[in-house]
Amino acid sequence: MTTELDRAGLYRPSDVQLGRIAYRRRQTIRSVLLAALSTAVAGGALAFAVTGAPGWDRVKASFFDPAVARKYLPAVLEGLWLNVRLLVVCAAAALALGLLVAVLRTLRGPVFFPVRALATGYTYAFRGLPLIIVLYVCTLGVPGLRLQGMPSVLVLGGAALVITYGAYLAEVFRAGIESVHPSQLAAARSLGLTYRQTMRHVVLPQAVRRVAPPLLNDTVALQKDVGLVSLAGPIDAVRAAQIATAQDANFTPYIVAGVLFVLLALPLIGVTDWVTLRAARRQSAGS
């Protein structure tokens, strides 16, 4: 027995159970202390090896100059704000496009074959094309047509990101839709729901919940790739760092931009890890 009754008639842990709890607590504290100590030792050894290596002074002056970092940090931050706005718009549009294409690929019946073929061809083509080629075609080739009402280069760059990542997200959504057991569709149809209502109320909620981790991973990848719009000329964080590097012949602004991108991605990466762990725990509990 791990519990026993006290005088009030309530169950309380036995002495054996209390001993187990105390032992586990001591083991946890010991593990945390050992992890902290080993991390400090490894970090100190790495720092000593890097700073004591030949040529470290030149590396520090070229890549980690605090004065240059402070000088160009405002310009890089201003450019990063453009990346953040572009990320929000492109992520929402790519998710919507991917979901639409995934639904089109799951349509049944011979009458929808042309739609399925177009959706399949789109996903195959843009999953195989390098993003940089799509960016060059959209931001350099399309403006060369000199068509009336041509949008800005920034909008064209965002469109290249959307149509490329929409293909990846479409496959993620399609995998989630096809993971829903056909019996649930049959049950929904037997209750009188139309195909549209079945997809909206039965299939898509389950599909999106199941593929949330890969969707977030693709969003993290998009967060990095929005910096590629600088190839077309807009002054984002990467372009601002490039201009600053050319002015002072110092690569510290690139390091500053990289650190800012990492800090921008950390919350999304944390959410992705949390959702992945939660999904794994739910699956383990269900099994």
Side-chain angles (χ1 to χ4, degrees):
M1 295 290 293
T2 58
T3 59
E4 56 186 23
L5 290 173
D6 59 11
R7 293 181 179 179
L10 300 176
Y11 283 100
R12 66 177 182 85
S14 65
D15 294 337
V16 176
Q17 182 67 11
L18 290 175
R20 291 174 181 172
I21 295 174
Y23 174 77
R24 290 170 183 169
R25 185 181 297 112
R26 290 195 302 270
Q27 288 296 106
T28 301
I29 296 174
R30 179 174 177 272
S31 298
V32 171
L33 292 177
L34 285 177
L37 180 60
S38 61
T39 302
V41 172
L46 180 62
F48 177 79
V50 171
T51 57
W56 166 247
D57 292 335
R58 293 194 301 273
V59 171
K60 182 180 178 181
S62 298
F63 294 96
F64 304 101
D65 191 329
V68 176
R70 286 192 299 269
K71 179 180 178 181
Y72 292 106
L73 178 60
V76 178
L77 279 174
E78 184 177 357
L80 186 68
W81 174 235
L82 176 62
N83 293 116
V84 172
R85 289 178 291 169
L86 189 63
L87 170 64
V88 173
V89 175
C90 290
L95 286 169
L97 178 61
L99 181 58
L100 174 62
V101 173
V103 172
L104 294 179
R105 288 196 65 183
T106 59
L107 293 176
R108 296 294 179 260
V111 70
F112 294 112
F113 176 77
V115 177
R116 293 197 303 269
L118 287 174
T120 302
Y122 160 72
T123 56
Y124 282 11
F126 284 95
R127 287 169 65 202
L129 277 173
L131 174 58
I132 193 170
I133 292 180
V134 182
L135 278 168
Y136 278 145
V137 170
C138 291
T139 59
L140 301 180
V142 174
L145 299 175
R146 301 181 184 276
L147 300 177
Q148 186 176 4
M150 183 68 64
S152 65
V153 173
L154 182 61
V155 174
L156 292 173
L161 292 169
V162 169
I163 60 178
T164 300
Y165 272 89
Y168 290 100
L169 296 174
E171 285 300 288
V172 175
F173 278 121
R174 186 173 71 92
I177 292 173
E178 294 183 349
S179 69
V180 179
H181 199 274
S183 61
Q184 299 195 33
L185 280 74
R189 298 302 297 270
S190 67
L191 293 174
L193 297 180
T194 64
Y195 178 80
R196 179 180 177 182
Q197 292 173 332
T198 301
M199 292 294 294
R200 178 181 178 184
H201 299 290
V202 178
V203 177
L204 290 182
Q206 298 183 68
V208 172
R209 184 169 61 249
R210 293 179 181 181
V211 299
L215 287 177
L216 291 171
N217 282 328
D218 285 336
T219 306
V220 173
L222 176 61
Q223 181 266 329
K224 297 182 295 183
D225 284 342
V226 292
L228 293 177
V229 297
S230 62
L231 297 173
I235 303 179
D236 66 336
V238 179
R239 176 65 71 179
Q242 183 181 22
I243 294 172
T245 298
Q247 290 177 347
D248 277 18
N250 190 287
F251 292 95
T252 302
Y254 279 130
I255 304 300
V256 172
V259 170
L260 291 178
F261 270 103
V262 171
L263 294 177
L264 179 63
L266 283 179
L268 189 55
I269 293 173
V271 171
T272 303
D273 293 341
W274 176 77
V275 171
T276 303
L277 181 61
R278 183 182 179 188
R281 288 177 176 174
R282 185 186 298 116
Q283 185 176 2
S284 300
S287 59

